[in-house]
Amino acid sequence: MEFRETPPAPALRFQVLGPVQAWLDGRQLALGSPQQQAVLTMLLLHAGRPVTTQDLVDGLWGDRPPTQAVAALRTYVSRLRTVIEPRREVRRPAEFLVSVADGYALHIPAEALDVIVFENLAVEAATARGAGDLDNAHHLLVRSLALFAGRPLTGVPGPYADSQRQRLAERQVSVAEERCAVALDIGLHAEVVGELNALTAEHPLRERLRELLMLALYRCGRQAEALGVYTDTRKLLIDELGVEPGTGLSAMHSRILAADPALVLPAIPAPTPAAREENPAPQPAPAQLPADVSDFSGRAEMVADLSAVLMSATGQAVVVTSLAGIGGVGKTTLAVHVAHRVRTEFPDGQLYVDLRGAGASPADPAMVLGDFLHALGVTENPDSLEQRAALYRSLLASRRMLILLDNAQDAEQIRPLIPGVSSCAVLATSRSRLAGIPGAHLVDVEELTPEEALALFSTIVGEQRVAAEPEAAMAVVTACGFLPLAVRIAAARLASRPRWSVSDLARRLADQRRRLDELQLGNLAVETTIGLGYGQLSPTEARAFRLLALIDSPDFPLAAAAALLGTDERTAEDVAEALVEANMLECFTPGRYRYHDLLRLYAQRQNERVGDTEQQNAAVRRLLNLLLPTMYNAARAIEPDDQLPEPLSPPDGPGLPLPTSDAAREWLRSENAVLLSSVETAVCGPSELRRPAVDLLILLYSLGADPTQGPRVRSILEVADRNAQLTDDTAGLARVHFAIGTLQSVTNDFQGAERSLRRSLEFQTSGDMTVLRSAATNTLGIILSIGNRPAEALPFFEQALAISRVVGAPIGEARLISNIARVQQRLGMTEVAVSSASEAVAAARASKNGPCLADTLYQLGVVLASGEAVDHLREAHKLYQAQQNPLWEGYTLARLSSSLLAAGQQAEAAETAEESLAIGLEMDSAYCQGLANAALGEALLGLAQPARGLACLREAHAVFTRLGVPEASPVADLISQQHTEPFPPPAP
């Protein structure tokens, strides 16, 4: 073990016994893609020992790694460092994830990794059992198994993860087997029968589990069933393996047949008749818990924590634990499951009541107390609530009981039902947080993890059907929002329709407008369950619940909520927090709110039923009046002194202040989903919403387009185009087609971009001196230049430059001059091109506009096309990194790689190209991938790696040919040279 002894600050915690997760100071970290999680997994499970780069590549991709494997691996490690050590300074060495020789090591405390804690607890349990401390051994084994939060390493790809998943699953079964054995030793045979049945069904060839099941059944008085287990096992072993049962199982069979008295635990002697007459049998302890579900899935950590809290009911005050969550999240199922798990700790009984808090007629506490007193042997109840509560507390003063209060309305309803002694425990469930109970443990019950939801779905539908269509099954549980009730309904519908495939159900649930209709079966319906909560809202809360759902964003800030509701932020926060308390809205970060997916669909359906489109459009307009001017503020902060496109619909109000470029970029990053969702909603509305929405989208893309959002943005613009045509909105069509052309250029659809940009210019007056026309002609010139049509591109650049000078846009002028330099280069005017590009860089430096300087440095580097370009491209790359512009980082690294090749630095060129390729793949940019593969292929040839080099060149050629760009020709020449000339030997 090479983990450090002293936990460093900040505190890190990792989970691999389930989905791979991590927490920093209690906050869950985003661990990135499955491949990135696979790298983290290998480092974690090596327990601080170094892992070589080759071992990481092999463990992630096996014997078929991609050509960019090492570059991708470095990217994953770099991002993991950023996640694990977010406050580390750039030049400061990593503290946890460190580079070691040709590889990496992850140093964390032993207690920070769940699998180490699991193994340590198992070792402690073995020691306790060896010392005869069976109760402690059982407790330790229960704690160790509770660390499993699902299937180990869920969703982590690669051969290493596959082998470790199998190893950890085997350890889980072994420890579970040991736990059952210890439970039998302390007389918990009735409690483990169900678990042993499940374990033997999952692992039918493990004879030790079968042996333990036979013993448990025998001790429960089910001798015939115990013998039947042996018969079934023997047949299975002969049919599957051709062998007889082992000695342990055979011996258990013989001992049961012989009624071996040693199989039965020592019993308490039965009382004599005289003793029974002297001490009549007491009234049986109440055992009112509803039946536990047989297919309970997931929530292992929560079950363990709740069990520990309830079993600690020996302190100064009664233990009260409250479970809160939205309807259908499984609060009752969880509470009942936990109550059954700990019921042996409450030998004087368990009381249960459904308080009907979400319905129209909540239970009267006085009536509930009457029922409880009757269960405790009271034949005549006092009249008043106070008298009943006092008698109830008196009767429980000498008892150890568990009280399960299900579906409470509020704290006032359950307060009289709380005992007065610390030996009792209360477990309550409610849709709202019962914060009015002093000292209560408040627990939020959230939806299942994807893996837990899939496990529940599989249990009901059947493993074979799910295994045959795993992607469709995941689509189903995702459509259910991982809500247990929804998953159960969907699974039950599929189980009752054997002719349906999982894909059939997934297609039905894919339609959001019909999803709630599909999620009902018999008297179970998600919509009805959500409706109970909606019915408890005040008119103000119900209006807010509907209006906040107009924007289909994963989450939204308080400022957006205030705009939608038409109030100040203080009032909006009060209403939003009331919805959070009612579990109709969620708040995981102060000042940010979100809906559960199914709750949002319900709210949107209520908007349709209310039908007040005027109120809804007004709410969206208020939001646009906040976002559009804020977007202008962001643009001015990021690109000072630049001219921005004139808005078709001037915004009302100043927007949010964004005084610095860092603040502006952070706002764009955090509100990207809100911006796109607002545009998506607005383009479907009237022109008064559509016009500012398109303005908003153009500004967003002018500050840094993301090609990975291409399909969604394309569908938004198609809707805007259709609606603008219907209203014959010429000015709107000019903007829409400019936006479409910009999107197509970013997603490398160069032919489509040319058509759209020409269409945009057709809707504009030829003599217009506007920023929009300058931007459209400039972008069209870029497209023509990329397509190796410099003579056609030059007039458009000159026209854009003339307009830019008229409107007074020096930043635009600098960019245009650098674009013209690229055309001059293609026309063979190399010296003029270098001069123009240098002039553009000088102008950009003088302006102190960082994005413009990065762009002009990039163009100068491309124009130089030699080793002289290296310094310029390195500077451009640093600027793009600081500006959080990954797409242009990728382009710049590819050009830098080519310049390094020209300077004879093949090794660094290959490394740089690999990094560019990783970014191109992540950003889904084919052109970037082509440039990176071309540079990487040439570098690998120079490093005497012809096979990999040719593979990269062929990939680059295929990409360039598909895009129709001239770079395909020199790559083809390079490929052909390798077939006609002998490959030079490696340099000494």
Side-chain angles (χ1 to χ4, degrees):
M1 177 86 62
E2 296 184 29
F3 284 99
R4 296 177 180 176
E5 293 295 328
T6 304
L12 278 167
R13 184 164 65 90
F14 294 90
Q15 170 185 288
V16 296
L17 300 179
V20 175
Q21 294 179 331
W23 294 264
L24 176 64
D25 292 335
R27 177 178 58 84
Q28 187 168 352
L29 303 176
L31 296 179
S33 67
Q35 290 77 14
Q36 191 165 304
Q37 293 179 32
V39 174
L40 175 62
T41 297
M42 282 184 269
L43 295 171
L44 284 170
L45 293 183
H46 276 76
R49 299 186 303 277
V51 190
T52 67
T53 299
Q54 188 59 52
D55 286 344
L56 288 167
V57 169
D58 293 343
L60 184 53
W61 289 290
D63 57 0
R64 301 184 64 183
T67 54
Q68 70 277 13
V70 175
L73 180 62
R74 290 183 180 128
T75 301
Y76 297 148
V77 171
S78 175
R79 289 175 181 168
L80 285 171
R81 280 195 181 119
T82 301
V83 170
I84 294 172
E85 302 181 59
R87 293 185 288 276
R88 181 175 67 89
E89 297 176 5
V90 175
R91 297 185 182 276
R92 179 184 168 194
E95 182 177 359
F96 299 115
L97 208 174
V98 299
S99 299
V100 181
D102 181 28
Y104 306 93
L106 181 59
H107 296 298
I108 58 171
E111 62 271 22
L113 181 59
D114 60 351
V115 69
I116 301 298
V117 177
F118 164 75
E119 294 292 359
N120 289 342
L121 287 170
V123 170
E124 288 182 48
T127 303
R129 190 180 188 190
D133 189 358
L134 297 181
D135 286 331
N136 187 36
H138 184 259
H139 175 67
L140 290 167
L141 290 169
V142 169
R143 283 178 58 197
S144 69
L145 290 168
L147 291 169
F148 282 83
R151 188 183 181 207
L153 308 179
T154 302
V156 178
Y160 180 84
D162 290 341
S163 65
Q164 291 298 310
R165 190 160 29 242
Q166 185 174 355
R167 179 183 71 82
L168 293 172
E170 172 63 26
R171 283 292 294 138
Q172 181 184 16
V173 177
S174 297
V175 174
E177 187 177 89
E178 181 71 5
R179 206 283 297 178
C180 291
V182 177
L184 287 171
D185 289 343
I186 60 177
L188 298 178
H189 39 271
E191 284 75 3
V192 298
V193 166
E195 182 177 352
L196 283 168
N197 269 317
L199 285 169
T200 53
E202 189 175 354
H203 308 281
L205 298 178
R206 290 183 76 105
E207 294 187 42
R208 175 63 173 154
L209 286 173
R210 299 276 185 155
E211 182 183 338
L212 294 173
L213 177 58
M214 290 175 67
L215 179 58
L217 289 169
Y218 182 73
R219 287 183 177 173
C220 290
R222 297 157 66 178
Q223 178 178 330
E225 292 179 59
L227 294 171
V229 170
Y230 177 82
T231 303
D232 293 342
T233 306
R234 181 174 183 271
K235 182 178 186 303
L236 178 67
L237 290 170
I238 292 172
D239 290 346
E240 293 288 332
L241 304 176
V243 299
E244 290 283 346
T247 55
L249 197 60
S250 298
M252 181 61 68
H253 179 243
S254 299
R255 294 174 70 188
I256 290 174
L257 286 173
D260 184 350
L263 292 178
V264 181
L265 290 172
I268 299 173
T272 63
R276 281 197 298 268
E277 185 175 342
E278 185 177 341
N279 299 296
Q283 179 175 339
Q288 298 181 346
L289 295 178
D292 196 3
V293 296
S294 60
D295 55 6
F296 185 88
S297 297
R299 307 200 193 277
E301 187 174 353
M302 183 175 284
V303 168
D305 290 345
L306 290 171
S307 300
V309 168
L310 293 173
M311 289 190 291
S312 69
T314 56
Q316 301 259 334
V318 62
V319 172
V320 179
T321 302
S322 168
L323 308 182
I326 65 175
V329 81
K331 301 181 295 296
T332 298
T333 301
L334 173 61
V336 170
H337 181 73
V338 170
H340 275 283
R341 180 179 172 130
V342 302
R343 64 186 177 86
T344 55
E345 298 288 326
F346 299 91
D348 294 318
Q350 307 89 40
L351 298 172
Y352 169 83
V353 64
D354 179 1
L355 294 171
R356 306 190 303 275
S361 55
D364 182 352
M367 298 296 293
V368 174
L369 282 171
D371 292 339
F372 280 178
L373 290 171
H374 179 74
L376 294 170
V378 176
T379 55
E380 294 187 13
N381 285 315
D383 293 332
S384 71
L385 170 65
E386 292 76 13
Q387 291 173 326
R388 292 184 180 188
L391 179 57
Y392 169 70
R393 291 193 294 272
S394 298
L395 289 172
L396 266 59
S398 59
R399 306 190 191 194
R400 183 167 172 79
M401 298 190 72
L402 174 65
I403 296 90
L404 177 49
L405 306 176
D406 190 24
N407 197 12
Q409 182 182 41
D410 51 31
E412 291 302 316
Q413 189 184 29
I414 72 167
R415 189 171 282 112
L417 309 178
I418 299 175
V421 293
S422 61
S423 59
C424 295
V426 175
L427 182 57
T429 73
S430 176
R431 296 200 178 203
S432 59
R433 292 167 177 79
L434 303 179
I437 305 297
H441 298 268
L442 304 180
V443 179
D444 289 325
V445 182
E446 300 172 7
E447 60 269 21
L448 300 172
T449 66
E451 294 75 21
E452 290 171 340
L454 196 59
L456 175 59
F457 184 74
S458 301
T459 301
I460 300 171
V461 171
E463 295 283 352
Q464 289 185 340
R465 293 178 79 177
V466 172
E469 300 178 274
E471 292 182 1
M474 183 55 74
V476 168
V477 297
T478 301
C480 292
F482 311 116
L483 196 69
L485 175 63
V487 173
R488 285 185 179 278
I489 292 173
R493 289 195 71 194
L494 186 59
S496 65
R497 292 163 173 80
R499 295 188 179 181
W500 279 18
S501 67
V502 183
S503 297
D504 291 332
L505 179 60
R507 280 191 292 271
R508 298 175 75 91
L509 292 174
D511 184 354
Q512 290 195 10
R513 294 180 63 84
R514 289 190 47 80
R515 187 174 299 166
L516 291 175
D517 298 326
E518 294 290 339
L519 292 175
Q520 57 182 342
L521 182 68
N523 61 352
L524 288 177
V526 171
E527 184 170 13
T528 302
T529 301
I530 297 174
L532 291 173
Y534 180 70
Q536 299 291 315
L537 301 178
S538 69
T540 299
E541 293 164 353
R543 172 182 177 271
F545 177 71
R546 295 191 304 270
L547 291 183
L548 294 177
L550 289 172
I551 305 304
D552 198 1
S553 174
D555 66 353
F556 51 89
L558 179 59
L564 285 165
L565 300 180
T567 65
D568 59 81
E569 289 193 13
R570 177 79 176 270
T571 304
E573 185 175 29
D574 290 342
V575 177
E577 288 299 322
L579 291 173
V580 171
E581 287 301 314
N583 268 298
M584 300 299 283
L585 202 63
E586 298 172 337
C587 179
F588 291 108
T589 303
R592 296 196 75 85
Y593 300 91
R594 78 174 193 183
Y595 285 92
H596 183 276
D597 290 346
L598 296 179
L599 281 172
R600 182 189 290 108
L601 291 179
Y602 182 88
Q604 291 169 349
R605 178 166 287 189
Q606 294 309 308
N607 276 325
E608 293 174 5
R609 288 172 177 166
V610 170
D612 190 348
T613 55
E614 184 176 342
Q615 181 188 64
Q616 293 163 20
N617 287 340
V620 176
R621 178 65 196 186
R622 288 193 297 269
L623 181 59
L624 293 175
N625 280 337
L626 169 74
L627 297 179
L628 187 55
T630 305
M631 181 64 81
Y632 274 100
N633 294 342
R636 294 187 188 99
I638 293 171
E639 295 256 30
D641 301 325
D642 195 14
Q643 286 294 321
L644 301 174
E646 308 82 356
L648 266 178
S649 180
D652 299 330
L656 300 174
L658 298 172
T660 67
S661 60
D662 286 344
R665 288 193 180 91
E666 174 58 25
W667 182 81
L668 287 171
R669 185 198 62 77
S670 62
E671 306 308 339
N672 182 268
V674 172
L675 292 164
L676 279 181
S677 298
S678 302
V679 172
E680 203 165 28
T681 299
V683 296
C684 297
S687 60
E688 65 176 20
L689 299 181
R690 186 176 62 251
R691 284 184 156 203
V694 175
D695 286 339
L696 191 61
L697 191 60
I698 289 174
L699 277 174
L700 179 61
Y701 259 56
S702 71
L703 293 175
D706 183 350
T708 62
Q709 296 174 339
R712 182 181 183 187
V713 176
R714 184 183 300 276
S715 65
I716 292 173
L717 289 170
E718 286 172 353
V719 172
D721 185 23
R722 286 196 300 271
N723 290 343
Q725 289 183 52
L726 289 173
T727 57
D728 198 23
D729 182 1
T730 302
L733 285 168
R735 277 167 166 71
V736 168
H737 283 280
F738 169 70
I740 293 173
T742 302
L743 171 66
Q744 289 168 325
S745 69
V746 170
T747 54
N748 305 149
D749 178 9
F750 301 129
Q751 295 178 350
E754 180 182 350
R755 289 192 298 270
S756 298
L757 292 166
R758 289 187 185 279
R759 185 85 169 133
S760 172
L761 291 171
E762 289 174 4
F763 286 113
Q764 301 179 52
T765 304
S766 58
D768 282 350
M769 291 294 187
T770 63
V771 175
L772 178 67
R773 188 167 185 86
S774 175
T777 51
N778 174 50
T779 308
L780 181 54
I782 292 171
I783 297 299
L784 294 171
S785 179
I786 289 172
N788 202 24
R789 295 152 66 185
E792 296 179 56
L794 187 57
F796 287 103
F797 284 138
E798 290 173 342
Q799 182 182 357
L801 183 60
I803 297 173
S804 187
R805 285 170 173 162
V806 169
V807 299
I811 305 304
E813 285 186 50
R815 284 196 171 99
L816 281 162
I817 291 171
S818 67
N819 290 341
I820 290 172
R822 289 283 299 276
V823 170
Q824 291 167 339
Q825 180 200 35
R826 289 188 182 276
L827 292 172
M829 305 160 60
T830 305
E831 292 184 7
V832 175
V834 171
S835 175
S836 297
S838 301
E839 177 190 344
V841 170
R845 285 195 193 281
S847 72
K848 301 189 184 306
N849 184 302
C852 181
L853 178 58
D855 292 345
T856 54
L857 283 166
Y858 171 86
Q859 298 288 42
L860 175 57
V862 176
V863 167
L864 287 169
S866 65
E868 299 175 32
V870 169
D871 290 341
H872 302 298
L873 291 170
R874 286 194 198 278
E875 185 180 358
H877 177 244
K878 288 181 181 178
L879 288 168
Y880 285 131
Q881 272 190 316
Q883 295 158 17
Q884 301 172 33
N885 193 335
L887 179 60
W888 281 92
E889 273 190 68
Y891 284 142
T892 306
L893 287 169
R895 302 294 189 182
L896 176 58
S897 178
S898 296
S899 296
L900 289 167
L901 281 172
Q905 301 177 49
Q906 282 94 343
E908 187 179 355
E911 184 176 338
T912 303
E914 285 180 326
E915 190 176 350
S916 170
L917 184 56
I919 294 174
L921 290 167
E922 183 180 358
M923 296 301 295
D924 194 25
S925 172
Y927 191 49
C928 182
Q929 293 170 39
L931 292 173
N933 267 312
L936 179 58
E938 188 173 353
L940 291 171
L941 292 178
L943 293 170
Q945 298 182 43
R948 283 190 64 202
L950 279 170
C952 291
L953 290 173
R954 290 191 182 99
E955 179 65 24
H957 184 264
V959 169
F960 290 146
T961 302
R962 185 172 71 252
L963 297 179
V965 294
E967 286 87 347
S969 180
V971 172
D973 293 341
L974 193 55
I975 293 172
S976 65
Q977 289 173 17
Q978 306 313 307
H979 294 289
T980 58
E981 298 177 6
F983 194 81

